[in-house]
Amino acid sequence: MDPLDSLMDVFRLDGRVAAITGGARGIGYETARLFIAAGARVVLLDLDDRAVTEAATRLGPAASGLRLDVSADDDVARAFESIVAEQGRLDVLVNNAGMALRRPTIELSLAEWQRVVDVNMTGVFLCARMAARHMLHAGGGVIVNTASIMGLSGGGLYPNISYQATKGAVVNMTRALAVEWAAGGVRVNAVAPTWVDTEFIGPLKANAALMDRIRQMTPLGRLAQPAEVAHAILFLASPASAMVTGHVLAVDGGFLAQ
Ligand code: NAD
């Protein structure tokens, strides 16, 4: 057989189990759909109880859903223990749940700041820690974090300090955890998307002038689609990226290249 016939197999996830936080909608849901097409079983983990159940039902027998708040230590511990107990393994974690409170810094309360830190930064720590306890014991695994172009730039179109701070932390946690866990066979990478057409940017889409500015500031001249981010996540989660760790892959239409 020509080795090229099986070339695309390096993107497959047959027999693997993937946990995807924020999996009820948007980028997380599209990633789940793609992972299933690549042969994986997926567990969607999301704060929105009803949406996660509906999403898992829509995705069919290869998917299940669990409610959790990524910032709650007990929720995270329970969820990961139940995944390993029920699925028998955990090969991939996509640390994708996130939130934004876009406000001028001088108007942002400490409680608001803290909530974004808890979800976007501490949530990544808690889920990565639980997943890695299992993966290191099992001899390997893969973690993909969803950072943002706002973790690598100062933005400029509107204030969003808690988001920029926490996504910057996701970028550097990706590097540090990759180095810490490399010898244990656990790879850790991130995607850094530009604005993606999901509910997450609903409030921004209501402002047509702002959306024009976003397109003007993006060399490819448009928003990303959630599936385009999922494609990059699949690359980082699959054997196709076996020699890649500690990397932050921009999916940004050239935004950061400027
Ligand atoms: P989305 O709003 O479509 O989906 C986010 C999901 O995360 C929701 O289902 C929500 O219920 C869940 N979630 C929120 N807080 C949670 C918590 N504490 N615990 C568990 N689940 C929680 O958003 P999206 O656009 O798919 O965003 C996914 C990730 O991509 C986020 O980390 C976001 O910061 C990042 N991102 C989004 C964009 C964008 O423009 N949409 C750009 C760059 C990065």
Side-chain angles (χ1 to χ4, degrees):
M1 185 173 92
D2 186 328
L4 285 179
D5 288 346
S6 57
L7 193 64
M8 298 308 283
D9 286 356
V10 291
F11 291 97
R12 293 204 57 85
L13 297 175
D14 296 298
R16 313 255 162 94
V17 171
I20 303 176
T21 71
R25 54 173 70 77
I27 296 167
Y29 180 78
E30 281 304 317
T31 301
R33 237 161 58 89
L34 190 63
F35 278 17
I36 290 170
R41 281 176 285 150
V42 302
V43 184
L44 310 176
L45 304 169
D46 204 286
L47 190 58
D48 188 335
D49 203 359
R50 215 177 85 180
V52 79
T53 306
E54 285 172 4
T57 305
R58 236 176 9 253
L59 288 170
S64 55
L66 280 176
R67 190 224 163 254
L68 100 167
D69 181 343
V70 292
S71 70
D73 200 6
D74 291 352
D75 274 17
V76 173
R78 249 195 319 273
F80 281 83
E81 277 156 18
S82 96
I83 292 170
V84 174
E86 278 166 33
Q87 307 283 341
R89 55 191 298 149
L90 175 63
D91 305 282
V92 179
L93 165 64
V94 183
N95 250 325
N96 168 77
M99 63 177 294
L101 293 176
R102 305 172 183 102
R103 300 219 208 306
T105 302
I106 58 172
E107 291 169 18
L108 191 73
S109 72
L110 177 57
E112 289 168 333
W113 161 269
Q114 194 60 56
R115 181 64 186 149
V116 179
V117 169
D118 287 348
V119 173
N120 291 5
M121 189 175 84
T122 308
V124 167
F125 158 67
L126 290 175
C127 293
R129 186 180 63 164
M130 276 307 291
R133 280 179 184 158
H134 172 75
M135 290 171 178
L136 292 168
H137 182 71
V142 184
I143 297 175
V144 183
N145 299 322
T146 307
S148 166
I149 54 169
M150 293 306 158
L152 291 155
S153 80
L157 292 179
Y158 47 83
N160 201 4
I161 188 63
S162 53
Y163 192 76
Q164 283 146 344
T166 52
K167 292 298 183 178
V170 172
V171 165
N172 222 29
M173 286 197 293
T174 299
R175 298 179 180 130
L177 295 177
V179 172
E180 183 177 343
W181 293 335
V186 176
R187 296 189 296 112
V188 187
N189 291 292
V191 289
T194 182
W195 289 270
V196 186
D197 195 2
T198 69
E199 289 176 32
F200 198 78
I201 61 160
L204 308 182
K205 284 176 82 173
N207 182 340
L210 175 62
M211 295 311 291
D212 282 345
R213 287 283 292 131
I214 287 173
R215 282 186 279 269
Q216 283 159 13
M217 283 179 80
T218 308
L220 286 184
R222 61 177 179 85
L223 302 182
Q225 292 303 311
E228 293 173 312
V229 183
H231 298 158
I233 295 174
L234 175 62
F235 166 65
L236 293 171
S238 69
S241 61
M243 193 54 182
V244 180
T245 198
H247 184 68
V248 181
L249 177 55
V251 185
D252 69 346
F255 183 93
L256 293 171
Q258 296 172 102

